[in-house]
Amino acid sequence: MREFVEHKSVPVHRHSHWYYLGGMTLFLFIVQALTGILLLLYYQPSETNAFESIRFIMTQVRFGWLIRSIHGWCANLLMALAFAHMFSTFFLKSYRKPRELTWVSGMLLLFLMLGFGFSGYLLPWNTLSYFATMVGTNIAGAVPVAGEFVLRFLRGGDSVTGSTLTRFFGFHVAILPAITGPVLLLHLWLIQKQGMSVPIPVEQEHQKKGTAPPSIRFFPGFLLRELMGWYLALAVLAGLAALVPWELGVKADPFASAPPGIQPEWYFLFMFQTLKYIPARILGMDGEVLGILAFGLGALLWLAIPFLDRNPATGRMGQIVHRAGIIIVVYMVVMTAIAYVVR
């Protein structure tokens, strides 16, 4: 540890501010874990008691409303920072050799965060979460070959019931944390072992000069700056939680009709909206199935980018990948905005 503190350094350049996103994301994940543990002291994962237990937390437990509000807002800020961290890493080409596994482990963490978001959404057992989960699991059930198995595995049956709630609770508090812990430790270890990546233009500029990019020591220089990022994230989170408390909504009624405008959380909206626009049949095949397969293929290609773009500094593939990344960002933003406008 002493050797790490004395010798660890971080490059300083015009893009250094992007380095802080990873630490801020980690900080919010820790906040999520701590507030989740506090909520577990009172939450009861059953169809009968889930909604009432959260209402009890918000109305009877001292500062329970604040803890629950922090947990809700933190989940959204965490996903926003996770996506920002991913895209900053992508456009800085930080996935290039020898950091391929750092990218892969980071992407696995993002997928796990999406799993946390999807599984935790149902736990309040309100109308919005109930019908949004029904929509989400229906989409998962449309996957060819394994769709029926996936649907029943997620729901614990043919429809969204108390068994689904219990199963999602198990995913959220046991299975996903058990997987996330080792992957997170691997990701952090790879970052410390390989150090921070220097953007290609900065690296080339200093290579021409025959110098190395300037750097600061991790402790205390970078760590103090990182802590300021944590304080900023905490300030935004506290402000949102206090001024715009997370609402509970109305208890789910499985026998009621779905209210209009039911949508998943914002980080799934671009996919949800895309599937709405795909024709029912394309070349004799189910359009929704083709859309799901396209998103699955896209996720695999994104995961494999370090192995596809082997020479991002000079290769033609690097330019193609960069332009594709810009198109993907614009597409996600536009489709998400459309989903909010036409809901």
Side-chain angles (χ1 to χ4, degrees), residues 48-76:
T48 305
N49 299 323
F51 183 87
E52 282 74 13
S53 65
I54 293 183
R55 182 162 57 186
F56 177 80
I57 291 171
M58 297 180 66
T59 59
Q60 302 297 320
V61 178
R62 183 173 296 183
F63 297 111
W65 66 272
L66 182 61
I67 297 301
R68 200 243 168 180
S69 191
I70 289 175
H71 195 73
W73 278 113
C74 188
N76 285 271

Side-chain angles (χ1 to χ4, degrees), residues 130-176:
Y130 176 86
F131 287 103
T133 301
M134 185 177 294
V135 172
T137 50
N138 279 336
I139 293 174
V143 175
V145 183
E148 184 177 352
F149 169 78
V150 172
L151 179 68
R152 292 181 61 84
F153 175 75
L154 290 175
R155 291 182 174 180
D158 294 322
S159 59
V160 177
T161 63
S163 297
T164 314
L165 176 64
T166 305
R167 186 158 295 202
F168 274 44
F169 177 75
F171 293 151
H172 195 70
V173 304
I175 297 175
L176 289 174

Side-chain angles (χ1 to χ4, degrees), residues 223-237:
L223 183 58
L224 290 176
R225 290 170 172 81
E226 183 74 77
L227 287 176
M228 291 304 298
W230 290 25
Y231 284 136
L232 176 61
L234 182 61
V236 173
L237 177 60

Side-chain angles (χ1 to χ4, degrees), residues 23 27 46 78 95 108 127 136-137 139 142 165 179 223 319:
F27 169 71
S46 69
L78 171 61
Y95 54 77
L108 292 178
T127 300
T137 50
I139 293 174
L165 176 64
I179 299 173
L223 183 58
Q319 299 177 5

Side-chain angles (χ1 to χ4, degrees), residues 13-14 26 30 32 49 77 107 115 122 143 166 168 176 206 237 251 255 259 274 289 297 306 315 318:
H13 47 78
R14 58 182 176 273
L26 174 62
I30 294 172
Q32 274 296 87
N49 299 323
L77 291 177
M107 284 304 306
L122 179 64
V143 175
T166 305
F168 274 44
L176 289 174
H206 284 276
L237 177 60
K251 185 176 181 179
F255 299 103
T274 300
V289 171
L297 177 60

Side-chain angles (χ1 to χ4, degrees), residues 296-317:
L297 177 60
L300 288 176
L301 291 175
W302 195 259
L303 183 68
I305 276 177
F307 310 102
L308 300 175
D309 186 13
R310 300 300 296 177
N311 190 15
T314 58
R316 178 174 174 79
M317 179 59 73

